[in-house]
Amino acid sequence: MRRRLAQAVYCVLVSLALFWGSPAWAATPELLSVPQLQERLTSPVKLDGRLTVDLRETRLDLQDQAFAQSFYALTQTALQVGAVPLSLDLSNAVILGDLDLTRLGLRTPLVGDGLSGLLPDAVQRQLMTDRTRANAVNSAISIYRGRLTLANAVVTGQLNAANTYFLSEIEAQKATFVETVLGNQSRFNRRVDFSAAELQQGAVFSEAVFFDRATFSQTRFSGEANFERAQFRDEGRFDQADFRAVSSFRRSDWKGPADFDQSRFAEAVSFARAQFSSALTLAEADLVGPVSWRQAQFGQAVNLRGAVLREQADFGDARFASEAVINVPELAFNTQTARILGTPGQIGRQFAVPTLTGNEAVLRSLVRNFRQLEQVADANQIEYMTQRLRLRRLAQQLRAVDLNRASFLQLSRLGLTAEQAEAVLNYRENAAFTRPADLLKLPEMVASDYWRVSDRVVTDVTPSLLGRLALAVRWLGLGLLLGLSRYGSSVGLVFGVGWVAIAPFALAYWWLDRDTTQPLPLSELVSPLLMYLGLVTTGIALIYQGSPTPGATLACLTLLVVPILAVTSYRLGPQRPGDPSYFTQDGSARQLRFLIARLPVMPEYYFFRDRYVRLVRSRRWNWLNYFDFSVNNSLRFGFNDTRLRDQAVPGILSLLVWYQWTLGVLYIALLLWTLSRTIPGLNLLLYF
């Protein structure tokens, strides 16, 4: 019985506390009369170092026409007349009806000589050059000079701040606006703060200009939020804002950072044709409705770290500066319901994640998104980025140091100081490192040193010699695929690699097979050299066009081709033939042929050998046969079937031919794989 009575008393006390503590049921302020208003206007107080008309915790009935007429007339005279502007503090006030701030300002024409001498020169110049109103000869603007404070205030009607120039701060933290807030075509010279405010019927700030920081953090926009053509000359903060209806930032201009961290958009939001000179941040934002960045311009990064995309995100025709990327680590979106749209062939290059770990699902979703849209180039670009990150991780694993086994010398070479290395050894005596972040537990370790070495340490068992060898093979193979074909995403790059590799072999065959007993005419030297330069120049141009690291690609080709050619030329120099040639050709037919399965040497059976005749080197066009042989040996395609003799041929020359043939097999596989990944129809058959 006592226990039930205690519970009942406790519930009553909690209910009373909630009842009296709730703002909706708090004690209503006393209604302000005209005499009381006059008294407060004539005796301002000093708040935060400024002379302020103190109307805090009052109740203004602006629905009463007589009181409203007196309020606007008396307050406007007190605030705007005088060398020193007065501030107006309406904190915790309840305003019944509409609050028209334009009637509290100083009405001033935009053009002509009617600008008030009370305004600073910079403000006057801005008003005179205001392009959005320059054509309106009779237009005017309201100048509000003092600071306005509406913290925790409740305005039951409309707040009208349209077409007004606010010279000082506006502070409306935790304010409640029952009707629409109008700030269209206004100028805010100092900071504006609507943090944690509640705008129940929407906000209109179209064509407004915020010269200082504009803060709408944790603001709830229950109605439509209209910021079309608004200009943010400083930082615009909408972090943790709640947009419950359609919101529009079309053609808005952001000179400073645009912060939408942890914001929520329940309906559609449009940033179409907006300009972002600084970073746009939507980290951990919840995009429930569709979002549009069509034809937007980005000067810096777009941060979507941890954001949730539930419908469509449209980056169509958006333009990105060279350093602007879309950071999508930990981005969450389901390709069955959400889509990311963009300019085909371009949007895929804009996405970026810092590491592969933790982002593999994001990258797979992006690939599937673009494959479903049949934007194969963008899907391949995402896969290329994924494999580059995987290559970096393999390299880190190869050179990584195991914290649980590393010696003092290894830790020092890693970059740790002597004190830090000693601390690692001491820590291991009591407990093992389970993850690299355990280094931060050491008092000697600072964050900057940890991030400098975090990607070069591991805590699991160090791979054995065979394990490291397997890692090295994987790293080398993946590096070749990336450097020679952009992981199967660039046909032009693969063809460029082929031309650069084919030309040196062809020139070498011609040089090594020439008749050294006869002088070489200059005319016969020019033709093969021109062909060689043409193929190499074309190949290098394709490589520079298709490879992000053309220097590395050319270095790889140099290592694959030049050493074997140099050794062959050196060893075969004294054995160059007089006559006949080392090469033969099929004389039974002259036609273009695809010879995929053919070997580079003559057939063994004599009945077939009768068809082959040796090259006649005295003909000026004979050099074409060597280029034909090199193309056929690599691409399995040529205008005649040229092969190597299998008798009385130096072994080093046979080795060179078979080496190129082996490279040709790998090259054909690379070419077919790349074509399968870049032809849309075939691509869909392979991946779905």
Side-chain angles (χ1 to χ4, degrees):
M1 185 68 179
R2 290 181 179 179
R3 184 176 181 182
R4 292 182 179 179
L5 180 61
Q7 290 178 347
V9 172
Y10 177 78
C11 292
V12 171
L13 292 176
V14 171
S15 300
L16 290 175
L18 293 174
F19 181 86
W20 295 109
S22 174
W25 297 101
T28 304
E30 183 180 355
L31 189 65
L32 190 69
S33 63
V34 174
Q36 291 173 331
L37 174 64
Q38 291 175 326
E39 179 182 356
R40 299 199 182 199
L41 291 174
T42 56
S43 56
V45 298
K46 206 163 191 179
L47 296 176
D48 298 331
R50 301 185 184 185
L51 284 176
T52 305
V53 176
D54 186 6
L55 297 182
R56 294 176 294 178
E57 299 181 1
T58 59
R59 185 160 60 101
L60 307 178
D61 188 3
L62 298 182
Q63 295 175 336
D64 185 346
Q65 295 297 326
F67 177 80
Q69 189 71 23
S70 300
F71 171 78
Y72 287 118
L74 296 173
T75 306
Q76 193 269 350
T77 302
L79 295 180
Q80 305 303 335
V81 177
V84 179
L86 295 180
S87 300
L88 178 61
D89 194 338
L90 290 167
S91 300
N92 298 291
V94 176
I95 302 170
L96 304 176
D98 298 339
L99 177 59
D100 191 352
L101 297 179
T102 63
R103 298 175 62 180
L104 297 178
L106 183 65
R107 201 69 177 172
T108 304
L110 282 172
V111 295
D113 300 327
L115 293 176
S116 173
L118 299 176
L119 302 180
D121 293 340
V123 175
Q124 294 190 39
R125 287 194 300 270
Q126 198 280 330
L127 290 173
M128 291 294 294
T129 57
D130 193 337
R131 296 181 178 179
T132 62
R133 300 177 178 85
N135 295 327
V137 178
N138 297 322
S139 64
I141 192 171
S142 179
I143 306 295
Y144 193 99
R145 298 194 298 158
R147 181 176 64 178
L148 175 64
T149 304
L150 291 166
N152 294 290
V154 176
V155 181
T156 63
Q158 185 182 77
L159 177 66
N160 185 11
N163 199 27
T164 304
Y165 202 126
F166 293 91
L167 301 185
S168 295
E169 299 88 346
I170 296 180
E171 297 181 356
Q173 303 93 330
K174 298 183 179 179
T176 301
F177 302 95
V178 179
E179 297 295 334
T180 307
V181 175
L182 297 177
N184 50 300
Q185 297 186 347
S186 291
R187 302 294 183 264
F188 302 92
N189 197 49
R190 298 293 180 87
R191 60 184 178 84
V192 177
D193 193 348
F194 281 82
S195 298
E198 183 174 350
L199 287 69
Q200 297 182 359
Q201 294 297 324
V204 180
F205 286 92
S206 57
E207 300 186 41
V209 179
F210 300 89
F211 293 98
D212 207 329
R213 184 173 66 249
T215 304
F216 292 86
S217 302
Q218 301 180 12
T219 303
R220 179 185 297 175
F221 296 89
S222 299
E224 180 180 356
N226 186 350
F227 287 84
E228 292 187 5
R229 298 179 183 270
Q231 299 181 34
F232 297 84
R233 303 291 178 84
D234 204 293
E235 182 181 13
R237 296 191 58 187
F238 291 82
D239 52 298
Q240 301 183 41
D242 187 2
F243 296 88
R244 299 193 171 186
V246 175
S247 51
S248 177
F249 294 85
R250 290 176 55 87
R251 296 181 180 271
S252 55
D253 188 1
W254 306 73
K255 303 299 183 185
D259 186 358
F260 289 87
D261 280 0
Q262 301 180 23
S263 57
R264 184 177 186 273
F265 296 90
E267 299 292 340
V269 54
S270 175
F271 293 94
R273 298 191 178 184
Q275 298 184 16
F276 298 92
S277 301
S278 297
L280 169 62
T281 306
L282 291 110
E284 301 182 16
D286 190 1
L287 302 170
V288 180
V291 56
S292 173
W293 281 285
R294 290 196 66 85
Q295 300 183 23
Q297 299 181 31
F298 300 97
Q300 294 185 16
V302 180
N303 187 5
L304 291 173
R305 177 185 293 272
V308 179
L309 181 62
R310 303 180 188 273
E311 286 197 26
Q312 177 176 290
D314 189 356
F315 287 91
D317 298 322
R319 289 186 290 177
F320 295 84
S322 57
E323 65 274 12
V325 295
I326 306 175
N327 289 315
V328 290
E330 304 175 18
L331 174 69
F333 79 102
N334 187 345
T335 55
Q336 301 299 324
T337 58
R339 287 287 185 273
I340 297 180
L341 308 179
T343 305
Q346 298 180 12
I347 186 63
R349 299 177 181 273
Q350 306 303 327
F351 292 96
V353 295
T355 60
L356 184 61
T357 304
N359 294 304
E360 292 173 303
V362 176
L363 295 171
R364 284 196 300 268
S365 297
L366 287 174
V367 171
R368 181 169 292 275
N369 171 81
F370 289 118
R371 292 206 186 281
Q372 290 175 346
L373 296 173
E374 297 188 13
Q375 296 182 209
V376 177
D378 298 309
N380 287 339
Q381 177 61 32
I382 300 297
E383 284 200 275
Y384 172 68
M385 178 179 63
T386 303
Q387 299 306 323
R388 287 189 65 181
L389 294 172
R390 180 166 285 113
L391 181 68
R392 183 191 305 174
R393 188 169 67 179
L394 290 173
Q396 292 172 356
Q397 293 174 352
L398 282 173
R399 65 172 186 266
V401 174
D402 191 347
L403 290 176
N404 293 315
R405 296 190 177 189
S407 63
F408 181 88
L409 182 59
Q410 289 177 314
L411 294 173
S412 299
R413 291 176 177 173
L414 184 65
L416 300 181
T417 64
E419 294 78 8
Q420 292 170 343
E422 191 64 33
V424 171
L425 297 178
N426 294 334
Y427 182 90
R428 282 187 345 208
E429 294 179 358
N430 301 318
F433 288 95
T434 58
R435 55 178 183 168
D438 289 343
L439 284 173
L440 293 174
K441 298 179 181 179
L442 305 178
E444 295 81 2
M445 183 64 63
V446 296
S448 59
D449 292 339
Y450 166 73
W451 290 113
R452 181 165 47 84
V453 302
S454 60
D455 60 344
R456 290 180 290 161
V457 296
V458 294
T459 56
D460 51 358
V461 179
T462 304
S464 62
L465 181 59
L466 290 178
R468 286 188 175 273
L469 182 60
L471 281 177
V473 171
R474 289 179 57 193
W475 174 83
L476 180 60
L478 184 56
L480 289 174
L481 288 178
L482 292 174
L484 300 180
S485 68
R486 284 180 60 92
Y487 200 73
S489 64
S490 177
V491 177
L493 175 59
V494 175
F495 276 115
V497 167
W499 296 137
V500 172
I502 288 171
F505 281 101
L507 193 65
Y509 296 142
W510 168 77
W511 181 256
L512 295 176
D513 195 52
R514 77 186 192 280
D515 188 358
T516 57
T517 61
Q518 300 294 330
L520 183 64
L522 181 61
S523 59
E524 295 185 17
L525 178 63
V526 171
S527 298
L529 289 179
L530 288 178
M531 175 65 80
Y532 169 80
L533 291 176
L535 291 176
V536 170
T537 302
T538 303
I540 291 177
L542 291 174
I543 289 174
Y544 270 88
Q545 183 179 4
S547 175
T549 56
T553 302
L554 291 174
C556 176
L557 288 174
T558 301
L559 292 176
L560 289 174
V561 174
V562 172
I564 187 67
L565 292 180
V567 171
T568 304
S569 299
Y570 174 76
R571 292 289 303 274
L572 199 58
Q575 306 177 31
R576 292 177 184 172
D579 192 62
S581 171
Y582 289 138
F583 296 90
T584 63
Q585 65 179 1
D586 185 359
S588 61
R590 294 181 181 273
Q591 59 188 8
L592 290 174
R593 297 182 181 182
F594 284 101
L595 302 170
I596 300 296
R598 132 242 207 270
L599 296 179
V601 294
M602 293 175 61
E604 183 68 22
Y605 188 49
Y606 68 92
F607 181 77
F608 296 101
R609 295 170 70 93
D610 290 342
R611 295 183 303 172
Y612 287 87
V613 295
R614 293 174 181 177
L615 298 182
V616 181
R617 291 177 299 182
S618 60
R619 297 178 181 177
R620 292 185 177 182
W621 49 263
N622 182 58
W623 58 271
L624 285 172
N625 290 310
Y626 302 103
F627 282 89
D628 171 62
F629 176 76
S630 185
V631 172
N632 208 334
N633 214 21
S634 295
L635 296 179
R636 308 299 188 265
F637 172 78
F639 60 81
N640 214 341
D641 186 9
T642 305
R643 304 197 188 196
L644 181 70
R645 282 186 358 222
D646 58 351
Q647 298 175 359
V649 176
I652 190 69
L653 181 59
S654 297
L655 176 63
L656 178 64
V657 171
W658 281 102
Y659 178 77
Q660 188 195 16
W661 182 86
T662 304
L663 292 181
V665 172
L666 299 177
Y667 179 78
I668 288 295
L670 179 65
L671 178 61
L672 294 177
W673 179 62
T674 304
L675 290 174
S676 72
R677 290 172 54 83
T678 52
I679 298 175
L682 183 58
N683 184 280
L684 293 176
L685 291 176
L686 289 176
Y687 290 94
F688 287 94

